[in-house]
Amino acid sequence: MRPALDWVYRGALWASALCLVAIAVLVGVQLGARLIDGVLALLHLPRTEFVLLSLNEICGYLLAAASFLALGGTLKAGAHIRVTLVLAALSEKRRRYVELWAFGFAAAACAYMTGHLASFAWVSFRFHEVSPGVVRVPLAYPQAAMSLGALILTIALLDELSVVATRGRPSFRAAEDAITVGKEG
Amino acid sequence: MSVLELSIVLMLLLFAILGSGVWIAVALAVCGFAAVMTKVATPAGQVLATSMWTASNSWDLTALPMFIWMGEILYRTKLSDDMFEGLAPWLQRLPGRLLHVNVVGCAIFAAVSGSSAATCATIGRIALPELLKRGYDERMAIGTLAGSGTLGLLIPPSIIMIVYATATDQSIARLFIAGVIPGMVLASLFMGFIAGWALLNNTRMPPPEPRLPIRQRIQASRRLLPVVLLIIGVIGSIYGGLASATEAAVVGVFLALILSWWSGTLSRQGFIDSLLGATRTSCMIAFILAGAAYLTAAMGFTGIPRALAEWITEFNMPSWALLSVLTAFYIVLGCFLDGISMVVLTTSIIIPLVTKAGFDLIWFGIYIVLVVEMAQITPPVGFNLYVLQGMTGRNIFAIGTYALPLFILMCLSVVLIAAFPGIALWLPSTMLDAR
């Protein structure tokens, strides 16, 4: 079970990272084309007029997919922020109960979120909703990726709930307490 | 339930959930859910799905992961050595000498990084040991570093500005440019303080080092060239209207990769670490934005922001009084909450009030960034304090005291931008619009 779960978190995190790379490459290609056109114009040569159609929409969808697919991996890395002021002040024994509550509560909330995101994606799929603009991207794809990410987060929260129940503390405690640069924005 | 009762109940609920260690994004969304549930006819689940979808799929927000990635790449380069070596010979002659490296180094790094803690950590990594080795006053070295690191938020690019701009539908590019002059004003205030302190406390300064000949100084400052090119590439293209914020961020990622490769610090593992680090940080922020979007939509149904706006207008407060109240409120909030939560809570509740009171939303964005900067150095919750605690082993309350003079200077800069809004609004009014 353990290796399979970790594989899911890691795989989704990598899928998310690849979405971000795709954004950088797509926007980079478009900028490069604009640069070449600028040079060509200076030399009085005909421009390439190369345009990636619907670039803005596609990047937006890639971002939505990336943001949600990474949710589980981010939780496991202890990078989702929360107020630990009260938790840190409690004794290890009491803290455990509060942690159980936090994981259970968050898991229930995320299960609710998963359900509604999934039914939202399902409606888009049933009615063939597509993006505005020239390239018609079915909206169900990015929305399905979002629900999948929410589902993985729910699983990760339940996973950690069982970790706290058996071992007394979340597996990412050390990472959460450490200072990750950029956490505050 | 009246609107007042409802808002008190929701506020208590939010703080109870936050306090019990539930993740911020989830806590915001649950509060949104509770708010929607008070209106029987509203489908809570549908509102959740649509508001999260709208908030997450956004071209403007794409700037967020790209700027974070750029910062992650630069953090792994030798930029901080270059900065110290390049700046030190020039700042040697000012009163306060190398203490100014903290401020100037942070201000320059802030122009390529969007985070305050990253700025603090990058500059501090080299500057702090060097300053202490040379015998500079420890309190001053640590305190000015903590304060100057916060320039990372005000000088573009800035993660917190992207969060504010996307949540309030303002132009990221304009907000970025609006931060440039206030950032410089704040940096000059910091430098003025260092110079004044050094003149008054001459005995606590180490003896001056021999002056380098001008040729060597110029040679040393060549090491600043890459970072200067990076700043021109990113901020210049936004200001000149050549690129939108997202495009400029992508340019920044490529330039940072080239810089890292050219200086020989780009490794396969470093690249992967920077990418995954950026993925996680941007995921964390995007999730908070999604939760906050649901809360904002829910708040609209309850009518709380509108009622609050009307209630405040009834007092007929002059705008300086309103700002003083808000600032006091934010300073207290900033002691306990992180910057992003402060901004998203503001945008879901206070923005109608702010618009009604007649503030410009770009100007208010700069104001918010300034109060969030203060929050970075107020204990017990302040990220720059955490970073410096990790570096020096000092207690965060002690570091907070060292940084107190800089906190006061930040309050002064709030007064300055309130008295002269042009500090923030003039430069964006001269810029060309991005396509």
Side-chain angles (χ1 to χ4, degrees):
Chain A
M1 198 58 184
R2 181 81 273 146
L5 283 175
D6 284 342
W7 187 86
V8 167
Y9 307 137
R10 208 166 165 70
L13 187 68
W14 268 103
S16 162
L18 289 179
C19 288
L20 295 185
V21 172
I23 293 175
V25 169
L26 288 174
V27 176
V29 165
Q30 178 65 77
L31 282 171
R34 209 193 285 165
L35 212 63
I36 291 171
D37 270 1
V39 173
L40 289 177
L42 278 180
L43 300 173
H44 299 290
L45 292 169
R47 297 170 176 225
T48 59
E49 306 280 354
F50 176 82
V51 174
L52 284 173
L53 295 169
S54 301
L55 178 67
N56 293 14
E57 283 83 14
I58 292 172
C59 286
Y61 301 148
L62 283 169
L63 177 69
S67 303
F68 275 73
L69 283 173
L71 283 173
T74 305
L75 179 81
K76 278 288 184 177
H80 278 303
I81 54 172
R82 54 177 177 161
V83 179
T84 46
L85 204 61
V86 183
L87 286 180
L90 295 174
S91 69
E92 204 55 49
K93 202 177 141 207
R94 290 214 181 120
R95 176 168 181 161
R96 181 176 180 177
Y97 291 112
V98 182
E99 292 269 25
L100 284 176
W101 145 262
F103 280 103
F105 183 80
C110 290
Y112 178 83
M113 177 176 84
T114 308
H116 281 284
L117 285 175
S119 81
F120 186 61
W122 174 247
V123 170
S124 301
F125 176 74
R126 285 280 293 130
F127 294 96
H128 303 289
E129 290 200 37
V130 290
S131 62
V134 190
V135 180
R136 316 211 125 212
V137 184
L139 295 185
Y141 295 163
Q143 289 168 357
M146 276 174 76
S147 355
L148 180 64
L151 177 69
I152 295 173
L153 175 64
T154 314
I155 295 172
L157 284 164
L158 290 172
D159 176 10
E160 283 298 324
L161 179 68
S162 80
V163 171
V164 176
T166 50
R167 274 183 271 157
R169 53 171 63 196
S171 61
F172 54 75
R173 171 79 75 82
E176 188 178 43
D177 291 346
I179 297 313
T180 319
V181 162
K183 241 185 190 178
E184 95 299 347
Chain B
M1 233 188 311
S2 77
V3 174
L4 181 67
E5 283 165 357
L6 179 65
S7 37
I8 292 173
V9 169
L10 284 176
M11 191 127 96
L12 291 178
L13 180 73
L14 178 66
F15 285 122
I17 300 177
L18 278 178
S20 68
V22 173
W23 291 265
I24 288 166
V26 178
L28 294 172
V30 168
C31 263
F33 177 75
V36 176
M37 288 317 265
T38 61
K39 300 285 155 198
V40 183
T42 324
Q46 263 176 39
V47 177
L48 180 144
T50 38
S51 55
M52 285 196 173
W53 163 246
T54 320
S56 307
N57 103 70
S58 145
W59 160 251
D60 289 335
L61 191 58
T62 314
L64 179 81
M66 294 301 131
F67 275 126
I68 295 176
W69 191 12
M70 173 183 165
E72 288 271 352
I73 297 167
L74 291 178
Y75 180 69
R76 291 174 168 77
T77 61
K78 282 186 290 194
L79 213 58
S80 47
D81 305 63
D82 291 345
M83 209 92 87
F84 190 86
E85 298 294 328
L87 288 173
W90 297 98
L91 298 169
Q92 194 66 260
R93 299 171 65 187
L94 294 174
R97 295 197 282 273
L98 293 188
L99 286 174
H100 290 287
V101 172
N102 275 347
V103 181
V104 180
C106 283
I108 293 178
F109 192 74
V112 289
S113 153
S115 144
S116 145
T119 306
C120 193
T122 313
I123 298 303
R125 199 163 47 185
I126 301 297
L128 201 53
E130 291 285 340
L131 286 176
L132 298 182
K133 194 174 77 191
R134 286 172 162 83
Y136 282 87
D137 185 72
E138 216 174 2
R139 298 173 65 110
M140 278 300 277
I142 298 176
T144 52
L145 186 60
S148 312
T150 66
L151 289 170
L153 302 181
L154 192 57
I155 297 180
S158 161
I159 304 305
I160 215 92
M161 283 186 187
I162 300 178
V163 170
Y164 175 86
T166 44
T168 55
D169 265 334
Q170 295 295 307
S171 150
I172 297 176
R174 278 184 176 274
L175 193 58
F176 272 8
I177 299 304
V180 173
I181 295 182
M184 290 181 186
V185 169
L186 190 56
S188 336
L189 286 177
F190 289 167
M191 290 178 76
F193 164 70
I194 291 178
W197 181 90
L199 290 175
L200 291 176
N201 297 282
N202 218 342
T203 48
R204 285 161 75 181
M205 291 292 290
E209 288 165 45
R211 269 170 64 177
L212 284 177
I214 183 96
R215 178 190 285 259
Q216 273 181 353
R217 266 187 271 162
I218 291 177
Q219 206 147 31
S221 50
R222 281 217 316 242
R223 298 180 67 172
L224 293 175
L225 199 62
V227 75
V228 170
L229 289 177
L230 204 57
I231 295 175
I232 295 174
V234 175
I235 303 182
S237 58
I238 296 179
Y239 180 75
L242 295 173
S244 67
T246 306
E247 291 163 344
V250 173
V251 171
V253 168
F254 285 117
L255 289 180
L257 281 173
I258 292 171
L259 192 154
S260 167
W261 170 75
W262 185 62
S263 67
T265 45
L266 185 68
S267 65
R268 195 186 140 86
Q269 195 54 42
F271 177 80
I272 291 177
D273 288 347
S274 72
L275 176 60
L276 290 184
T279 308
R280 290 192 203 102
T281 306
S282 85
C283 161
M284 176 273 284
I285 298 177
F287 191 36
I288 294 181
L289 279 172
Y294 184 39
L295 180 66
T296 308
M299 279 296 155
F301 287 110
T302 62
I304 290 176
R306 207 172 43 238
L308 181 69
E310 276 160 15
W311 183 63
I312 295 281
T313 358
E314 268 173 31
F315 283 106
N316 233 340
M317 269 199 262
S319 55
W320 65 265
L322 181 61
L323 271 184
S324 318
V325 174
L326 277 178
T327 310
F329 170 71
Y330 278 124
I331 289 176
V332 175
L333 205 61
C335 289
F336 302 98
L337 270 186
D338 62 284
I340 299 166
S341 315
M342 279 169 68
V343 171
V344 295
L345 277 178
T346 307
T347 50
S348 27
I349 298 156
I350 300 186
I351 285 302
L353 186 166
V354 170
T355 337
K356 191 140 190 185
F359 293 114
D360 182 283
L361 282 183
I362 293 283
W363 180 88
F364 194 75
I366 299 301
Y367 163 80
I368 283 282
V369 171
L370 273 170
V371 291
V372 167
E373 281 194 59
M374 298 180 192
Q376 302 293 330
I377 54 169
T378 45
V381 178
F383 283 86
N384 285 18
L385 302 181
Y386 295 164
V387 169
L388 286 171
Q389 182 184 33
M391 264 187 224
T392 63
R394 294 299 170 85
N395 176 297
I396 52 169
F397 287 92
I399 303 172
T401 332
Y402 302 164
L404 187 65
L406 290 96
F407 176 83
I408 295 169
L409 290 175
M410 289 177 197
C411 296
L412 178 65
S413 68
V414 169
V415 175
L416 281 178
I417 65 157
F420 310 102
I423 297 176
L425 295 177
W426 175 73
L427 199 56
S429 73
T430 65
M431 73 188 271
L432 300 164
D433 272 306
R435 57 187 78 201

